[in-house]
Amino acid sequence: MKNPLHHSSSISLTATRDRKKVLVGLAVCLFFSGMLITAFSTGAVGSPAHSTASTPSHSMAQPGPADSQVGRGFAHIVKAVRPAVVNITASKVMGTGFSDVPGLPDWFKYGPQDKHSFGMPSVPKPHEIGTGSGVIVSPEGYVVTNHHVVEGAKTVTVALIDKREFTGSIVGSDPQTDLAVIKIQGDNLPFIAWGDSSKLDVGDYVLAIGSPFGLHSTVTQGIVSAKGRDGMGISQYEDFIQTDAAINPGNSGGALVNMRGELVGINTAILSRTGGYQGVGLAIPASIGQHVYTSLVTTGKVTRGFLGVGIQAVTPDLAKSFHLNRPDGAIVTEVREQSPADRAGLRRGDTIVRYQDQAIAGPRALQRAVTTTTVGTEVTITVMRDGVEQTLRTTIVEHPMGQRVASAQHSDTESRLAGLTVEDLTPRLAKQLGVDGRVTGVVVTGIRAGSQAEQAGLVQGDVIREINHEPVQSSQDFRQAVETLPNEQPILLFINRQGTPLFLTVNV
């Protein structure tokens, strides 16, 4: 009987131990389940919404800076910068389309204003309404946007998020970087300060703000996907910031801001096979944008530095041939006579590896560094010549092909050409505008809305060849002609519009 009892006792003891194990297991499960539920209910990100019995209430009342910012997301940044991002509506004069019909005479193009119209009835000029975005960057009302947003615009309307609307005047435009500056007149204008785009790192958070598809003040968030994107064929000077923040048609000219609420880029393009967002957006960095903005506002033109060399990329094979350790830098293929490069002693076959103590990765890096150098600056250039490093010095001059812009903006306010901005007609511009290469004159790049020049029918892209029968061959000729215009007589302009000669009269 002892054995059964002992056996029974052993069984009872084992069952008791098993029950204790089960109870302990249940308690542990309940404990961790409670912690998990608490974590989900409080956000599980270190910023609990309320205190619990197991958490002292004083730690919730005084959250740390990191907890506070995470709880707010990006709202505090958006609240600060969103009012300064504007919607831009540009009304552009388009061709009638008649010239595209084979065999149709040119006189249908402009109606009675054309000297060849022979009294044909007027054909109204169709208008295209384009929309984009812009950023107010100063309390004085200067707005930065893309050149392609306002290119050819007859009138520009700038709308703020607070429902205010302004008629903007184009201060200047730079096709080489696809940037433009507009001026509006208003009080208490919000603005975004420029940031240092060179301090951006791949992976940093950024916000894109603009008007995609006309949806004003839309904010999207992403990261910096890459820096220094070039060779895209979008503009002549490229150094794009790539981002996956959603950018769509209408975002052009809008703001790319960092987590300090600073303007680090101007959104300008997307890479897409559908025409819509596919995760690859491109923005012009503030390092380029601020240079163009300052130049246009202060001088009315974009001044770029000039070295005077032809350059090419270093390939691995060329690196071996030129005794270079790495395929970095820019090989000099040509040195222009009497240029800063010539005066520095640069030779064909030199490889420029540093410029002003900045490492040069390739030709585009050197181009960006030189063109943004202030004219008159003495610079140091480090080259590899026959495997030996040498340091050269020279002074940067103004690029001879830079925009030469004249403006009637600062002439007599009663002048009927006040508010008109022009630049020299170069062979490159003539080709873009469809103008015969033998034609000389100045190209209209900006017209103040409501001015008499605008009312006379002048549009951006017109080439002014004569003023009152006097030839205009340069911006200097234009400036002198404007200063001597009679006050009480009509002004007769002879222009070229898309290859077609045309007379216009600016009345008193």
Side-chain angles (χ1 to χ4, degrees):
M1 297 295 296
K2 287 182 180 180
N3 288 338
L5 179 60
H6 177 74
H7 181 70
S8 175
S9 299
S10 297
I11 293 174
S12 299
L13 182 59
T14 301
T16 301
R17 287 175 179 171
D18 288 343
R19 283 195 295 272
K20 288 181 178 179
K21 289 179 180 179
V22 171
L23 290 174
V24 171
L26 288 172
V28 171
C29 290
L30 288 171
F31 173 75
F32 282 108
S33 297
M35 291 185 66
L36 190 60
I37 292 170
T38 301
F40 276 108
S41 66
T42 58
V45 290
S47 55
H50 59 277
S51 62
T52 64
S54 61
T55 307
S57 60
H58 62 83
S59 65
M60 298 300 99
Q62 298 178 350
D67 292 337
S68 176
Q69 186 166 339
V70 170
R72 296 178 66 186
F74 304 105
H76 59 296
I77 303 173
V78 174
K79 184 177 180 181
V81 301
R82 194 166 172 239
V85 181
V86 301
N87 177 256
I88 294 176
T89 303
S91 175
K92 305 180 182 183
V93 176
M94 308 299 293
T96 61
F98 291 135
S99 60
D100 297 329
V101 181
L104 198 61
D106 286 342
W107 60 70
F108 280 93
K109 198 171 184 181
Y110 297 109
Q113 289 182 319
D114 194 316
K115 64 178 181 179
H116 298 303
S117 65
F118 302 104
M120 298 298 293
S122 174
V123 179
K125 302 173 187 176
H127 287 68
E128 177 183 291
I129 303 298
T131 60
S133 306
V135 190
I136 305 176
V137 294
S138 79
E140 292 79 24
Y142 288 103
V143 181
V144 175
T145 185
N146 283 142
H147 163 75
H148 73 259
V149 170
V150 298
E151 182 181 12
K154 183 177 177 65
T155 59
V156 176
T157 302
V158 177
L160 276 62
I161 192 174
D162 61 10
K163 308 300 182 183
R164 286 186 290 173
E165 287 192 358
F166 301 92
T167 297
S169 59
I170 299 175
V171 175
S173 193
D174 182 38
Q176 284 87 346
T177 56
D178 194 22
L179 288 169
V181 177
I182 300 170
K183 181 71 165 61
I184 60 175
Q185 301 290 341
D187 299 323
N188 301 318
L189 294 172
F191 68 97
I192 305 178
W194 291 98
D196 188 349
S197 55
S198 68
K199 292 183 178 179
L200 281 177
D201 288 323
V202 175
D204 281 351
Y205 279 123
V206 285
L207 302 178
I209 311 174
S211 303
F213 305 111
L215 301 172
H216 296 198
S217 303
T218 295
V219 182
T220 56
Q221 173 267 325
I223 63 170
V224 174
S225 304
K227 295 175 62 180
R229 292 294 192 205
D230 56 23
M232 314 299 293
I234 297 171
S235 58
Q236 183 175 347
Y237 300 105
E238 297 182 342
D239 184 23
F240 294 118
I241 300 168
Q242 181 183 330
T243 177
D244 66 347
I247 296 174
N248 283 289
N251 271 111
S252 291
L256 189 74
V257 301
N258 60 15
M259 293 299 97
R260 297 169 59 88
E262 298 168 330
L263 182 65
V264 292
I266 302 296
N267 301 320
T268 189
I270 58 175
L271 293 184
S272 172
R273 295 182 178 180
T274 65
Y277 169 71
Q278 287 191 304
V280 183
L282 301 172
I284 300 167
S287 57
I288 291 179
Q290 191 170 11
H291 169 75
V292 172
Y293 159 75
T294 302
S295 190
L296 285 174
V297 170
T298 56
T299 68
K301 64 179 181 178
V302 179
T303 303
R304 293 186 170 91
F306 178 69
L307 182 59
V309 291
I311 51 178
Q312 73 175 80
V314 182
T315 65
D317 289 340
L318 286 173
K320 294 178 183 178
S321 300
F322 285 92
H323 311 291
L324 303 174
N325 295 327
R326 297 182 302 177
D328 293 336
I331 299 176
V332 176
T333 60
E334 180 185 5
V335 178
R336 182 174 297 189
E337 292 184 5
Q338 303 301 315
S339 68
D342 189 22
R343 290 190 287 271
L346 276 164
R347 302 177 188 173
R348 183 168 53 200
D350 286 348
T351 302
I352 300 175
V353 293
R354 298 187 71 83
Y355 176 88
Q356 290 289 73
D357 293 327
Q358 173 186 344
I360 298 300
R364 288 188 179 272
L366 178 62
Q367 181 192 55
R368 289 191 295 266
V370 172
T371 55
T372 55
T373 300
T374 302
V375 173
T377 301
E378 185 179 14
V379 299
T380 58
I381 303 170
T382 304
V383 304
M384 296 297 296
R385 180 181 295 172
D386 298 325
V388 179
E389 183 176 292
Q390 296 191 24
T391 300
L392 308 175
R393 291 179 175 80
T394 191
T395 301
I396 297 299
V397 300
E398 183 175 355
H399 199 298
M401 294 300 289
Q403 288 188 338
R404 298 176 178 87
V405 179
S407 176
Q409 200 87 11
H410 305 294
S411 61
D412 183 357
T413 56
E414 296 301 316
S415 170
R416 280 146 294 154
L417 294 184
L420 190 66
T421 305
V422 301
E423 68 176 74
D424 289 349
L425 178 66
T426 63
R428 181 172 176 269
L429 278 174
K431 185 176 180 180
Q432 289 178 345
L433 297 170
V435 176
D436 190 311
R438 294 169 294 181
V439 171
T440 59
V442 293
V443 182
V444 176
T445 59
I447 305 176
R448 190 174 63 214
S451 66
Q452 288 179 285
E454 183 198 46
Q455 294 174 13
L458 275 172
V459 298
Q460 281 187 317
D462 284 348
V463 178
I464 300 176
R465 300 178 59 182
E466 294 179 4
I467 298 179
N468 286 344
H469 299 294
E470 292 295 326
V472 174
Q473 297 184 337
S474 67
S475 55
Q476 181 65 28
D477 290 345
F478 172 82
R479 187 181 295 109
Q480 291 176 352
V482 168
E483 291 174 353
T484 58
L485 284 174
N487 293 326
E488 300 179 358
Q489 297 179 14
I491 303 170
L492 180 64
L493 301 179
F494 180 53
I495 71 171
N496 190 295
R497 177 176 293 167
Q498 297 177 351
T500 301
L502 180 67
F503 282 103
L504 291 179
T505 301
V506 183
N507 293 313
V508 178

